Structures are given as C-alpha cells and as structure tokens.
Amino acid sequence: MPSGPHHIWMSFLNNFRGLTVVKPCPSPTTAVNSLTPSLVRGYAEIDRTWNHGDRVELELPMPVERIYAHPQVRADLGRVGLKRGPLVYCLEQVDNPDAEVGLIRLSRLTPVDVRVRPDLFDGIVTLVADAEAAQVAGDSNALYRTQPFPTRPTHVVAVPYYAWNNRGPNRMQVWIAES
C-alpha cells in the first residue's frame, strides 16, 4: 500500500476513449505507456488503438490537509480537522493511550506525516504528529483555575473516520484543539 499518492493501473479491452480526472486530489496525472495524454475539460483524452500490454496510469496525489469549520460552528472554533484525499481522519483513544483525546492540542506549525499500518484492518494509512496534552492531576477537582493546566508532549495517531469504533467502544475526536 503506497504511503504517497495513490496509483491505479488499468488494462482495457475494446474501445476505451477517455478518463475523467476529478477532485478532491490536486494535480492528478495520467499516462498511457509512459506518455501523457492531453487534458480537455477535465478529461484525459485517449483515442488510440489498444494493444495487449498497454498500460494506463493514474496518479492521485493525496497530501494531508488541515480543515477548519465555518466560524458559526462555535463548537469547532479553534479546532482543526485532518483529511487526506476524500478521507477525514479522527483520533481514537485506543491509538493514543498516553493522552485523553479530548485533551490533545495540535500545533498549527507541526507537520502531520503519513504512516502505512499493514497490521491494522488489513492495511490502512494513518496520520501521525507530535502534539501536546493537558496534564490534569488526579486531585484537581476545581472546575476553574487562574492558570492554564500544564501540558506535556505526546505523539498522536489518527485513523480514517470510517475505521472508528471497530476495536471496541472508545473515545474519538475529529475536531482537535489547535495551538
């Protein structure tokens, strides 16, 4: 499973004429036998006589993107979501045992990396980053304080939202506090 762009190789019999190249992937590329066809209104026009062994390649770059809710969605102000291609990701407690997912903050400047996990769900792509988590002492029952809670560094793992809650019930967070 590639951790970079998704590559699709196709074989066609008969009269294949075009390939639609669409969002949500920026700058998709196509090639036929290593030659780049022209794009016309979002279609890779491929008008040719096909031979056995011809190869069509479609590369769909899927960089990690940070997404933000509209400011009127007040519950998500100051929070960030993570997506890669069409997939939205979430922090699941089972993957982040060192910090409660609701107490995690991700710095706007911290890079988010892609990691392939062949051991998880027969192979998925996860997102990983360094973050910080609020430290709440067990004896701290005060609802309000005059000082913010201290934080500590932590490492977070995000899984595609579709995979959430497949390893038993546990906490999950899509919108992550951002610092």
Side-chain angles (χ1 to χ4, degrees):
M1 174 179 290
S3 61
H6 281 294
H7 297 269
I8 300 172
W9 292 274
M10 299 172 272
S11 296
F12 297 98
L13 308 171
N14 305 329
N15 300 325
F16 174 76
R17 294 206 25 129
L19 181 65
T20 306
V21 180
V22 296
K23 295 274 182 186
C25 300
S27 307
T29 60
T30 58
V32 178
N33 298 331
S34 301
L35 300 174
T36 304
S38 60
L39 287 179
V40 178
R41 291 178 301 176
Y43 287 86
E45 291 209 337
I46 305 169
D47 189 7
R48 60 179 284 128
T49 302
W50 292 94
N51 298 307
H52 182 73
D54 282 348
R55 185 168 149 157
V56 176
E57 296 179 45
L58 172 62
E59 182 178 296
L60 303 173
M62 292 180 46
V64 176
E65 296 177 292
R66 293 170 187 252
I67 56 174
Y68 299 90
H70 189 281
Q72 293 293 343
V73 183
R74 288 179 173 79
D76 295 330
L77 274 176
R79 295 181 174 272
V80 63
L82 300 173
K83 77 184 256 302
R84 181 173 179 263
L87 301 179
V88 172
Y89 280 72
C90 65
L91 302 182
E92 194 171 9
Q93 192 64 62
V94 69
D95 297 308
N96 298 283
D98 296 336
E100 199 175 309
V101 293
L103 300 178
I104 292 172
R105 279 194 303 217
L106 188 61
S107 168
R108 186 172 288 170
L109 304 176
T110 299
V112 179
D113 296 317
V114 173
R115 292 281 186 277
V116 175
R117 290 278 307 270
D119 61 314
L120 197 55
F121 306 118
D122 292 326
I124 65 169
V125 174
T126 62
L127 305 180
V128 297
D130 291 325
E132 61 183 11
Q135 288 183 296
V136 181
D139 61 346
S140 177
N141 292 328
L143 189 55
Y144 302 101
R145 297 168 48 125
T146 58
Q147 296 293 316
F149 280 93
T151 61
R152 64 177 173 75
T154 190
H155 186 74
V156 295
V157 176
V159 297
Y161 181 78
Y162 74 80
W164 169 58
N165 218 19
N166 280 287
R167 295 171 283 171
N170 68 102
R171 292 185 177 139
M172 179 275 293
Q173 190 84 26
V174 170
W175 295 102
I176 308 157
E178 188 176 58
S179 59

